[in-house]
Amino acid sequence: MLKNNNLLLLASAGALAFTASSFAQASTLDDTRDRGAVQCGVSDGLPGFSAPDDEGEWQGLDVDVCRAVAAAVFGDAEAVRYVSLNAVERFTALQSGEADVLSRNTTWTTTRDTTLGLNFTGVTFYDGIGFMIHSEMGIESAKELDGAAICVQSGTTTELNVADYFRANDMAFDPIVFDTSEQTVGGYEAGRCDVLTSDTSQLAALRIQLANPDDSMILPEIISKEPLGPVVRQGDDQWFNIVKWSLFAMLNAEEMGITSDNVDEMLDSEDPDIARLLGQDGNYGEGMGLSADWAYQIIKQVGNYGESFERNVGMGSPLEIERGINALWTEGGIQYAPPIR
């Protein structure tokens, strides 16, 4: 009887291994090509990161990641279907296959990276949680917020980090929780709370949507690490590599001084790093199932990381966010990409 039980256990283990192997071999790239578009999960509307403009066209730093992946896969940055997702539904949508990639101001954490069947592919924006208050409160520091009513969005790391911060500083607060960012800022504007908390980048985006932006201010403290980046399902290394290297191509292009305006001129460059990136020396897309010019298409149609940052969230945008730690490592920041070779 023991022998038969062992055989059953071995058979069960083999079946599980086969199932896992079959899942791992499922090709998101093939499904995406059959569909003719990348299904990209974006926010439910966060200016500068992912939000439709006045003509209904999605724009933003996160949107440019979606467009970069489409450019790499199809040679067409417009081959994207945008799936608007709030913080609660975003991971389920990716897990179920409703989205091929999630690119919507999502923080990379241990739990999300190891227990949800998902993988983060890089960091598009290094951020941290902050607080926005009504200027008339006369507060200059988060340490003065003891007893405050704070509007916060559910399903985010903000809930946990704010609770940790107040507990660590022996302060109390009254959380006023909402499902979406639109509801959260609406509660703040309606006076449901004294303070609005979120990633500082999101606070900057939400502030400019207020009826009277000058009546609110963002406090100087940043109370957490919030590395934001794209997410894919586990089990498909090829697709993981495509999304990861699409971002890395944009970072490397900025470091090499390649822009959407000069990329055609750079095709004749004798710099071996530039030649490799642009597909003029070897085919570094082959290992991902892409054409040799995959990175050229990204840079030509979307631009390098610096171009995307500047037009969407930088000083040339309504958000006016300085590069700070999101500058390249060569410019005093921590943005860094492995080499193409």
Side-chain angles (χ1 to χ4, degrees), residues 28-37 72-74 288-291:
T28 306
L29 178 60
D30 289 342
D31 291 344
T32 299
R33 282 179 168 155
D34 289 343
R35 188 189 310 119
V73 171
F74 296 104
M288 297 181 284
L290 305 177
S291 62

Side-chain angles (χ1 to χ4, degrees), residues 24 26-33 35 37-40 66 69-70 72-74 94 99-102 121 231-246 287-288 290:
S27 175
T28 306
L29 178 60
D30 289 342
D31 291 344
T32 299
R33 282 179 168 155
R35 188 189 310 119
V38 176
Q39 292 187 156
C40 194
C66 307
V69 174
V73 171
F74 296 104
L94 181 58
D100 302 318
V101 56
L102 185 67
T121 64
V231 194
V232 297
R233 290 181 294 278
Q234 289 181 2
D236 189 338
D237 288 346
Q238 180 186 42
W239 188 249
F240 172 78
N241 286 335
I242 289 171
V243 176
K244 174 175 60 178
W245 282 98
S246 292
M288 297 181 284
L290 305 177

Side-chain angles (χ1 to χ4, degrees), residues 100-177:
D100 302 318
V101 56
L102 185 67
S103 185
R104 49 131 9 256
N105 58 297
T106 297
T107 302
W108 189 346
T109 69
T110 308
T111 303
R112 291 172 175 178
D113 202 35
T114 63
T115 66
L116 300 181
L118 306 175
N119 280 328
F120 283 76
T121 64
V123 178
T124 50
F125 192 93
Y126 289 95
D127 208 349
I129 290 172
F131 301 95
M132 182 165 68
I133 65 167
H134 300 288
S135 302
E136 63 186 17
M137 293 175 66
I139 288 176
E140 297 181 356
S141 169
K143 298 291 179 63
E144 301 174 59
L145 294 177
D146 190 16
I150 299 182
C151 285
V152 60
Q153 187 177 354
S154 64
T156 64
T157 56
T158 306
E159 286 185 283
L160 303 176
N161 286 325
V162 169
D164 288 345
Y165 176 79
F166 275 78
R167 184 166 53 250
N169 286 281
D170 196 25
M171 299 191 301
F173 75 104
D174 179 19
I176 311 297
V177 182

Side-chain angles (χ1 to χ4, degrees), residues 73-281:
V73 171
F74 296 104
D76 180 5
E78 304 309 311
V80 184
R81 295 178 186 172
Y82 296 101
V83 184
S84 178
L85 302 168
N86 64 37
V88 175
E89 62 196 11
R90 54 184 163 174
F91 297 122
T92 302
L94 181 58
Q95 291 162 338
S96 68
E98 184 181 351
D100 302 318
V101 56
L102 185 67
S103 185
R104 49 131 9 256
N105 58 297
T106 297
T107 302
W108 189 346
T109 69
T110 308
T111 303
R112 291 172 175 178
D113 202 35
T114 63
T115 66
L116 300 181
L118 306 175
N119 280 328
F120 283 76
T121 64
V123 178
T124 50
F125 192 93
Y126 289 95
D127 208 349
I129 290 172
F131 301 95
M132 182 165 68
I133 65 167
H134 300 288
S135 302
E136 63 186 17
M137 293 175 66
I139 288 176
E140 297 181 356
S141 169
K143 298 291 179 63
E144 301 174 59
L145 294 177
D146 190 16
I150 299 182
C151 285
V152 60
Q153 187 177 354
S154 64
T156 64
T157 56
T158 306
E159 286 185 283
L160 303 176
N161 286 325
V162 169
D164 288 345
Y165 176 79
F166 275 78
R167 184 166 53 250
N169 286 281
D170 196 25
M171 299 191 301
F173 75 104
D174 179 19
I176 311 297
V177 182
F178 298 90
D179 289 334
T180 69
S181 60
E182 183 179 17
Q183 292 170 351
T184 307
V185 73
Y188 170 79
E189 200 161 22
R192 294 278 305 277
C193 55
D194 308 307
V195 182
L196 176 62
T197 185
S198 186
D199 297 343
T200 54
S201 61
Q202 186 165 6
L203 292 177
L206 295 175
R207 180 176 172 274
I208 64 173
Q209 297 181 79
L210 298 175
N212 298 295
D214 292 340
D215 291 345
S216 292
M217 61 177 288
I218 299 173
L219 295 175
E221 287 93 346
I222 294 177
I223 67 168
S224 70
K225 293 188 294 184
E226 306 291 330
L228 311 178
V231 194
V232 297
R233 290 181 294 278
Q234 289 181 2
D236 189 338
D237 288 346
Q238 180 186 42
W239 188 249
F240 172 78
N241 286 335
I242 289 171
V243 176
K244 174 175 60 178
W245 282 98
S246 292
L247 172 59
F248 287 164
M250 295 175 71
L251 286 165
N252 276 317
E254 182 183 8
E255 185 176 334
M256 297 177 194
I258 310 172
T259 69
S260 55
D261 290 331
N262 69 17
V263 65
D264 287 325
E265 299 172 22
M266 290 291 193
L267 288 172
D268 297 324
S269 174
E270 296 183 1
D271 184 321
D273 290 328
I274 293 175
R276 283 191 292 268
L277 178 64
L278 300 182
Q280 301 301 294
D281 180 9

